[in-house]
Every structure is written in structure tokens, then in C-alpha cells.
Amino acid sequence: MARNAKGLAGEVRRLKEETDTVILAHNYQVPEVQDVADYVGDSLGLARQASRTPHKTILFCGVHFMAETAAIISPQKRVLIPDPEAGCSLSDSITVGELRDWKARHPGAVSVGYVNTTAAIKAELDYCCTSSNAVAVVNAIPKSREVLFLPDMFLGAYVAKATGRKNMRIWAGECHVHAGIRPEDVSRRLESMRNAEFLVHPECSCTTPILHDVAAGGYGDIRASVLSTEGMMRRAAESDSDSFVVATETGMLYRLAKQNPGKRFVAASDAAECRYMKMITLEKVRDSLARSRHEVRVPPRTAERARLAIQRMLEIG
Ligand code: 13P
Ligand code: SF4
């Protein structure tokens, strides 16, 4: 680490103690931010950490909807985000008006929204889910009830397949980063690394076609699993494979390599970078702590309604 970065990291650690702050960082954060965090994890794990932390302030290094989720489940804490412009193309793919309209056209349906949604959308939902418990959440809904699943169409298609559910309507939203990992990028990598194991995030557009090819024996005996980012961490640690092709945002590779020395991790696509996640820098983390900025506030009425859907998510899976 460069001397300047080392100095900054030391400053962040000191400020975090002085201000009774816990730093939560998503698996896609840049390495130097992951290194100063108290917890690094997926959306579900970070939401759980936010709900139980004893610290007065949560500094959330991730995108805005994740910090909002922390603020909703921990209303007595102060939640800061180093850059309030760190948004998410997936959470922007549905508006409250569109959701209300969709629900009105399907009265009696149960609405399930991915955690990658704004607080205002969560306030309209029956259930919230993440990539690690989406299948369990949908399975918890009586089979006779129609399900409206939003906003990610690839995660939705995967959940419909995994649950065998025929009465699921899926919103046509997508994450530009995961949708951009094309099946041909993945095929090329898998062709060149025949002994590798394949780890794929369910937001990827390549999930269904590649898994189909794998099941049909198109890549020999290759092992493939659809996993949340934390699921990838667990799989990499327990697997006896020594190389992996990873289809998700490239920030994931840092922690995978750090916690699994001796194993090799290669991105399915080097272009899969989320510019929103990368807006959080160590300098902004320091400034946020030093100046106690930018606080994430959710209007109490919205938070109260959204909390129910989030609590259901935390209880399942
Ligand atoms: P995870 O819940 O798997 O961490 O994914 C969050 C996300 O934003 C994926 O792009
Ligand atoms: Fe949103 Fe996609 Fe970035 Fe995840 S990778 S935060 S879904 S834009």
C-alpha cells in the first residue's frame, strides 16, 4: 500500500474509534476500503450486521439503497454514506407509480422485491429478498398466491426455475453490470480454463444459457453454482477446486483471492465494474467520518412500512 494510503487508513481507523462508528463494506468495494471495514459482505449479511451493531454510527460503504436499508432497520443509529451519489441502475429500473399500477392490475398478488430497490419501493412491498434468500422467500409464499417479483428479470427467471413456480410475474429490470456479462465472454473463459469451477451471480444475463450448456455437458465435468456474493466466498473456501471463473462485479476478486491463498480467481468479464460502487474511495470514507457527512435519512412513515418487508427478509434464509 502506498504511504499516503497507509496514512489515510490509519486516520480512518482512529476516527472510527473516536466517533464510535462501525464500517460496513460491500464485497464490490475497492480493496483499500474493504481493508478498513469491520465487516465485508453481501447485502443480506450487511443488513444483518446493521441490525445488531452496538455502535452509535454506521458508515456504509456500498450503494445508496443498502445504506437506506441500514437506516430503516436501525432507526436509532446514524447512518452515513461516503458519497450520496452512489446509486444503482437496477434500483432505478422501477418507480413507485409503476409498482402501484402493476399491483392494481394484479389484486391479491404478493409482491416480492429485491433488496436493490429504494426505500419508497420497499414501503410498497409484502416481502423483500436478496440474492442469497430469494428462493427461500418465494417458497415461503403459499403456492396458490400469484407473485409479483421485481425488479431484476434474471434473478426472477432463476427463482421461477428454482421454485418451479408458474404463477410468478417478473418485472423487466436489469443491472447494467451483470446484464453486460455476455454468454460469449463466459464461454470463452470456460473454454480456456477447463479445470476451473464456475461461480455465477443470479443477476447475470448469462446465468440461464450457461447453466443449460453446463448441464448438457458442453464444458465437460465443470462444476457451476448460482450464488450471492457471500455464497461465492463460502463456496470458494469449501471447494477443492484450485481455480474459479467468477461471473459478477470484479471487486469480488480481491476478497476471494485474499481469503483463499493458493487458489486462482478469474473474472468472467474484466469489464464488469460497477461505477457506483467505485465512487466510494478511502478519501471519502475519511471525510465522511471526520465531518460526519452524508447522513442517510428515510422519512419515518416510509421507513415504518418498508421495515416490515425487510424484517421478513431477515427472518427467512
Ligand atoms: P449481493 O446481495 O449478492 O451482495 O449482491 C448485491 C448487488 O448489488 C449485486 O450487484
Ligand atoms: Fe446496482 Fe448492479 Fe452496481 Fe449491484 S452491480 S450496485 S445491482 S448497478
Side-chain angles (χ1 to χ4, degrees):
M1 198 189 281
R3 231 189 25 223
N4 188 27
K6 245 189 188 163
L8 256 182
E11 210 181 324
V12 166
R13 290 195 177 96
R14 176 179 59 76
L15 284 166
K16 143 178 118 162
E17 293 300 318
E18 285 172 11
T19 56
D20 190 19
T21 299
V22 65
I23 301 186
L24 306 182
H26 189 264
N27 285 319
Y28 299 159
Q29 289 291 290
V30 294
E32 54 277 22
V33 169
Q34 292 194 26
D35 287 345
V36 293
D38 297 289
Y39 299 97
V40 183
D42 67 355
S43 306
L44 184 62
L46 295 177
R48 289 219 162 97
Q49 290 297 342
S51 71
R52 0 177 137 110
T53 181
H55 297 276
K56 254 190 356 226
T57 302
I58 297 169
L59 180 66
F60 208 107
C61 298
V63 292
H64 195 263
F65 74 80
M66 295 180 178
E68 271 188 339
T69 305
I72 293 165
I73 52 183
S74 302
Q76 69 292 3
K77 316 257 163 188
R78 202 151 48 112
V79 177
L80 305 176
I81 187 165
D83 188 332
E85 298 301 315
C88 167
S89 63
L90 180 55
S91 78
D92 286 346
S93 66
I94 186 164
T95 65
V96 171
E98 287 170 331
L99 175 54
R100 285 189 182 153
D101 196 45
W102 201 30
K103 282 172 47 173
R105 281 186 276 118
H106 300 281
V110 179
S111 53
V112 180
Y114 193 30
V115 70
N116 294 41
T117 43
T118 60
I121 291 284
K122 287 188 179 82
E124 303 284 328
L125 297 173
D126 295 308
Y127 287 86
C128 205
C129 71
T130 68
S131 52
S132 45
N133 71 359
V135 171
V137 167
V138 170
N139 272 333
I141 298 167
K143 288 253 176 301
S144 57
R145 302 285 301 276
E146 192 178 20
V147 172
L148 301 182
F149 189 93
L150 63 124
D152 190 87
M153 62 176 151
F154 301 112
L155 176 64
Y158 168 70
V159 172
K161 202 165 183 336
T163 58
R165 204 153 181 136
K166 301 281 176 267
N167 56 355
M168 227 175 113
R169 290 177 188 272
I170 301 166
W171 190 257
E174 63 175 30
C175 152
H176 71 289
V177 179
H178 287 86
I181 304 177
R182 296 165 309 168
E184 48 278 30
D185 300 329
V186 181
S187 304
R188 212 171 310 118
R189 281 281 200 256
L190 293 178
E191 288 291 349
S192 68
M193 292 176 67
R194 285 266 166 182
N195 295 322
E197 187 168 333
F198 180 48
L199 309 179
V200 57
H201 195 279
E203 282 175 31
C204 289
S205 58
C206 64
T207 306
T208 310
I210 294 287
L211 290 188
H212 183 270
D213 290 353
V214 169
Y219 300 95
D221 294 334
I222 196 163
R223 284 184 282 179
S225 345
V226 181
L227 298 161
S228 73
T229 58
E230 203 55 29
M232 290 181 180
M233 290 305 304
R234 281 193 293 272
R235 177 66 203 153
E238 74 196 17
S239 167
D240 55 13
S241 301
D242 56 12
S243 58
F244 300 80
V245 172
V246 184
T248 192
E249 209 271 351
T250 54
M252 191 67 221
L253 300 181
Y254 173 67
R255 194 168 157 226
L256 281 168
K258 187 174 166 186
Q259 294 192 6
N260 299 280
K263 296 187 179 181
R264 182 170 171 235
F265 299 92
V266 176
S269 163
D270 295 323
E273 196 171 277
C274 175
R275 66 176 183 278
Y276 302 112
M277 285 282 180
K278 276 23 183 197
M279 287 166 103
I280 310 296
T281 61
L282 199 52
E283 282 85 353
K284 290 181 192 171
V285 170
R286 188 266 321 271
D287 292 349
S288 189
L289 281 169
R291 298 179 202 169
S292 193
R293 69 182 195 189
H294 305 272
E295 185 164 355
V296 176
R297 285 206 181 96
V298 178
R301 174 96 186 94
T302 306
E304 201 184 304
R305 288 165 55 212
R307 201 171 297 124
L308 272 170
I310 296 171
Q311 268 159 359
R312 286 178 176 158
M313 166 185 94
L314 293 174
E315 280 157 19
I316 302 172

